[in-house]
């Protein structure tokens, strides 16, 4: 049941020292936020350069606001490679190591279990109660059947008596991790026992700026909730994209008008209800996939999750088809926005990368520009041959016959219709996936396609397409 944070008598008003195991994209912002709220924080990682970095007061990963938050709180954060030192020096440990998808789509514990083993061995030598919190996303059942027994085996101690265990994943998006950590919609806690849940709830009360509701439950329900939140959100995005495809076929239809109204219904809500490009990033695609795998392994048909994945996968093809309807194969296409969302340089599973690969596969030359990606090396592991980075928006537009505005970056709003003007025909093709530009101005100078909008019709005409 969702509860408000309650003060735990156990911690009183003294803020415990906290260790954060795994100082990557989520762990280092978590460490910095906890330090900013007054905790002494010990960061542990197997990556020496990350440990060195936080010992210098520098962020080991790129995330807006992290460098300054780390530096401002450097006197409360230190890094170590030594689990023993971290566990001895703290009362609560967050485990934030990777849980990559395995070949079936399930999440692997190949990083979590060694980290938990090391914590267990360190606990063996420690007097007093210690709380271990797994923040890494794990499959339903993993905490009870693998993490808890590993901790008990390595420590020789009893969970719920000598140490506590919670599963508490975060709901963050890269680019806004600090704000998401400090202002979550809700906090999710799966707890081994009430005492452990109370301690963690108290830590969150200190961490979160707002009066955050806390949903406390057993491990498996928390594991299912984490997976379900992301799966549900991807379903919403896929629904909006499907609606956008329908709108494109109906004169006068506009997906934004429909979704804006739809979102007013409190049963639906506005967030993530925007017909545009596919969802991507390190979490959404793999969480949806993991949910499908889980359901299938339980002999439940994951129809919604699979339909969501199928709709998502066809978005790149849909945009490519729009371009190829106007341009010869082999054309030069420019993509504005390469990361999986604005405000981050992460290109993992990004809609733009999928589109770029789709275009290259039909012989197009692709260049891309992203305000957060200045170095092709950053994206080279996911980008293939035939894709180059443009130095500026202007350069990209000048050289391309077709331009796709694939991300709603504020920088792209500043593009004006003149930028697309050409001295001699043919006119440039512009696909505005997020409908950021002024349609009537753009239509005067280029072939402008507002994704999710049907052809314009005169006001007195019937707004339905005639059957062919
Ligand atoms: N990044 C996101 O957007 C996001 C969002 C929600 C949840 N998560 C979850 O958080 C977890 C961590 O993700 P991330 O993006 O921060 O990963 P990351 O790869 O950026 O960082 C993980 C860190 O853990 C360290 N590590 C690996 N094994 C270790 C060990 N045995 N001991 C100590 N450190 C170890 C790595 O060196 C690395 O620095 C994953 O389970 C992920 O699913 C991530």
């Amino acid at each position: 049941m969702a509860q408000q944070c309650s003060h735990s008598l156990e911690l009183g008003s003294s803020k415990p020292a906290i260790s954060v195991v795994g100082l990557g994209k989520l762990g280092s912002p978590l460490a910095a936020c906890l330090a900013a709220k007054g905790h002494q924080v010990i960061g542990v990682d197997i990556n020496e350069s990350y440990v060195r970095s936080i010992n210098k007061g520098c962020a080991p990963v790129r995330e807006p606001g992290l460098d300054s938050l780390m530096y401002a709180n450097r006197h409360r954060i230190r890094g170590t490679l030594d689990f023993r030192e971290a566990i001895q020096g703290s009362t609560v440990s967050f485990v934030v190591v990777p849980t990559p998808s395995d070949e079936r789509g399930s999440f692997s514990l190949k990083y979590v279990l060694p980290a938990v083993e090391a914590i267990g061995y360190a606990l063996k030598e420690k007097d007093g109660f210690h709380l271990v919190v797994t923040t890494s996303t794990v499959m339903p059942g993993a905490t009870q059947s693998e993490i808890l027994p590993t901790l008990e085996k390595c420590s020789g101690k009893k969970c719920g008596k000598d140490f506590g265990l919670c599963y508490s994943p975060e709901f963050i998006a890269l680019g806004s991790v600090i704000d998401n950590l400090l202002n979550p919609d809700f906090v999710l806690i799966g707890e081994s026992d009430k005492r452990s849940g109370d301690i963690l709830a108290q830590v969150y009360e200190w961490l979160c700026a707002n009066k955050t509701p806390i949903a406390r439950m057993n491990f498996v329900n928390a594991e299912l909730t984490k997976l379900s939140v992301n799966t549900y959100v991807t379903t919403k995005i896929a629904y909006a994209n499907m609606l956008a495809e329908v709108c494109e076929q109906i004169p006068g239809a506009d997906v934004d008008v429909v979704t804006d109204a739809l979102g007013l219904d409190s049963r639906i809500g506005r967030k993530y209800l925007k017909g545009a490009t596919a969802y991507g990033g390190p979490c959404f695609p793999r969480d949806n996939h993991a949910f499908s795998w889980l359901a299938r392994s339980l002999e439940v048909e994951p129809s919604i999750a699979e339909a969501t994945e199928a709709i998502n996968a066809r978005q790149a093809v849909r945009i490519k088809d729009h371009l190829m309807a106007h341009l010869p194969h082999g054309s030069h296409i420019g993509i504005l926005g390469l990361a999986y969302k604005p405000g981050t340089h992460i290109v993992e599973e990004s809609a733009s990368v999928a589109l770029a690969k789709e275009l290259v596969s039909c012989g197009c030359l692709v260049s891309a520009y992203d305000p957060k990606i200045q170095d092709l090396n950053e994206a080279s592991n996911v980008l293939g041959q035939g894709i180059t980075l443009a130095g500026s928006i202007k350069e990209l537009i000048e050289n391309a016959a077709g331009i796709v505005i694939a991300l709603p970056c504020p920088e792209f709003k500043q593009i004006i219709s003149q930028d697309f003007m050409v001295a001699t025909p043919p006119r440039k093709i512009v696909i505005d996936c997020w409908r950021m530009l002024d349609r009537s101005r753009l239509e005067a100078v280029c072939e402008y396609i507002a994704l999710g909008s049907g052809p314009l019709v005169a006001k007195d005409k019937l707004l339905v397409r005639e059957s062919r």
Side-chain angles (χ1 to χ4, degrees):
M1 202 178 75
Q3 306 173 356
Q4 292 294 321
C5 284
S6 62
H7 278 285
S8 155
L9 293 174
E10 181 136 15
L11 291 176
S13 57
S14 71
K15 295 192 175 177
I18 294 182
S19 45
V20 177
V21 177
L23 298 168
K25 296 184 285 297
L26 177 54
S28 53
L30 178 63
C33 287
L34 288 165
K37 295 293 175 172
H39 296 273
Q40 290 296 326
V41 176
I42 309 176
V44 194
D45 207 293
I46 49 173
N47 181 334
E48 265 192 82
S49 71
Y50 280 19
V51 169
R52 261 201 311 275
S53 178
I54 75 160
N55 278 332
K56 282 192 236 148
C58 300
V61 296
R62 267 169 66 186
E63 174 62 30
L66 183 58
D67 248 329
S68 51
L69 196 65
M70 276 252 154
Y71 191 74
N73 294 285
R74 63 193 182 285
H75 53 291
R76 277 194 290 268
I77 311 177
R78 71 174 202 274
T80 179
L81 295 163
D82 182 355
F83 277 79
R84 203 175 150 275
E85 178 192 339
I87 301 305
Q88 288 291 345
S90 63
T91 309
V92 180
S93 299
F94 285 86
V95 178
V96 205
V97 300
T99 44
S101 304
D102 65 20
E103 62 291 345
R104 303 165 305 168
S106 174
F107 302 142
S108 159
L109 293 175
K110 69 179 181 183
Y111 297 101
V112 171
L113 291 181
V116 164
E117 274 174 19
I119 293 172
Y121 289 126
L123 282 178
K124 196 176 201 153
E125 300 171 28
K126 184 178 175 176
D127 296 328
F129 192 81
H130 192 95
L131 175 64
V132 180
V133 182
T134 314
T135 304
S136 301
T137 310
V138 300
M139 290 304 289
T143 309
Q144 187 69 43
S145 66
E146 302 203 56
I147 296 172
L148 188 154
T150 304
L151 279 169
E152 286 192 333
K153 185 170 144 254
C154 298
S155 65
K157 295 186 172 178
K158 189 88 195 117
C159 181
K161 178 174 158 277
D162 308 313
F163 69 90
L165 177 61
C166 289
Y167 173 63
S168 185
E170 297 286 352
F171 299 93
I172 55 101
L174 298 177
S176 54
V177 180
I178 292 169
D179 182 54
N180 298 156
L181 286 172
L182 298 177
N183 301 288
D185 281 354
F186 77 110
V187 162
L188 179 60
I189 299 179
E191 59 198 40
S192 57
D193 59 290
K194 183 175 180 310
R195 176 192 193 186
S196 301
D198 283 350
I199 294 172
L200 186 55
Q202 173 67 85
V203 170
Y204 280 122
E205 185 173 327
W206 283 318
L207 179 67
C208 303
N210 47 13
K211 271 272 169 215
T212 306
I214 299 189
R216 288 173 61 171
M217 55 194 74
N218 65 21
F219 295 143
V220 77
N221 284 323
E223 290 159 335
L224 279 164
T225 304
K226 164 68 180 171
L227 214 48
S228 303
V229 167
N230 282 0
T231 309
Y232 196 88
V233 173
T234 57
T235 305
K236 220 172 159 185
I237 297 169
Y239 186 87
N241 284 341
M242 182 185 68
L243 189 61
E245 289 180 66
V246 169
C247 288
E248 280 162 25
Q249 302 304 319
I250 303 177
D254 182 333
V255 71
D256 288 332
V257 174
V258 180
T259 54
D260 282 355
L262 205 56
L264 293 175
D265 189 317
S266 62
R267 291 170 301 176
I268 298 173
R270 278 196 157 149
K271 286 184 178 171
Y272 289 88
L273 193 65
K274 175 112 183 152
T277 54
Y279 59 79
C283 294
F284 279 166
R286 81 186 195 111
D287 287 3
N288 197 62
H289 201 57
F291 188 91
S292 294
W293 177 82
L294 172 73
R296 277 213 179 281
S297 70
L298 300 167
E299 298 184 6
V300 176
E301 198 66 37
S303 315
I304 294 180
E306 287 183 353
T308 297
E309 215 173 315
I311 294 171
N312 207 51
R314 72 175 185 239
Q315 298 311 307
V317 181
R318 170 178 161 229
I319 298 171
K320 186 253 313 181
D321 287 347
H322 273 299
L323 284 165
M324 293 301 115
H326 292 82
L327 291 167
H329 281 235
S331 297
H332 184 162
I333 309 295
I335 300 178
L336 287 171
L338 197 53
Y340 85 94
K341 64 187 279 290
T344 178
H345 64 289
I346 304 291
V347 291
E348 203 175 328
E349 300 276 336
S350 101
S352 300
V353 171
L355 173 63
K357 287 182 173 170
E358 193 65 43
L359 290 166
V360 167
S361 74
C362 46
C364 293
L365 182 66
V366 178
S367 57
Y369 174 79
D370 191 300
K372 295 281 175 195
I373 303 172
Q374 304 306 329
D375 178 359
L376 193 56
N377 287 333
E378 282 187 302
S380 62
N381 56 336
V382 292
L383 289 177
Q385 298 283 313
I387 305 169
T388 55
L389 274 193
S392 65
I393 301 174
K394 192 166 177 290
E395 181 193 314
L396 179 133
I397 293 175
E398 262 172 21
N399 294 329
I403 295 109
V404 180
I405 305 172
L407 271 190
C409 299
E411 293 83 349
F412 303 155
K413 278 204 176 131
Q414 284 142 26
I415 299 172
I416 51 169
S417 52
Q418 271 72 11
D419 294 336
F420 297 108
M421 216 177 259
V422 285
T424 50
R427 301 191 334 158
K428 289 184 190 285
I429 312 297
V430 178
I431 300 192
D432 187 353
C433 301
W434 296 82
R435 299 164 297 283
M436 299 177 76
L437 306 182
D438 183 329
R439 181 173 186 161
S440 56
R441 282 172 193 253
L442 267 287
E443 281 180 335
V445 294
C446 62
E447 298 304 324
Y448 177 75
I449 299 163
L451 219 60
S453 298
L456 289 178
V457 289
K459 281 215 165 81
D460 56 345
K461 293 266 166 61
L462 195 62
L463 299 183
V464 282
R465 167 173 279 228
E466 287 176 1
S467 56
R468 293 181 187 173

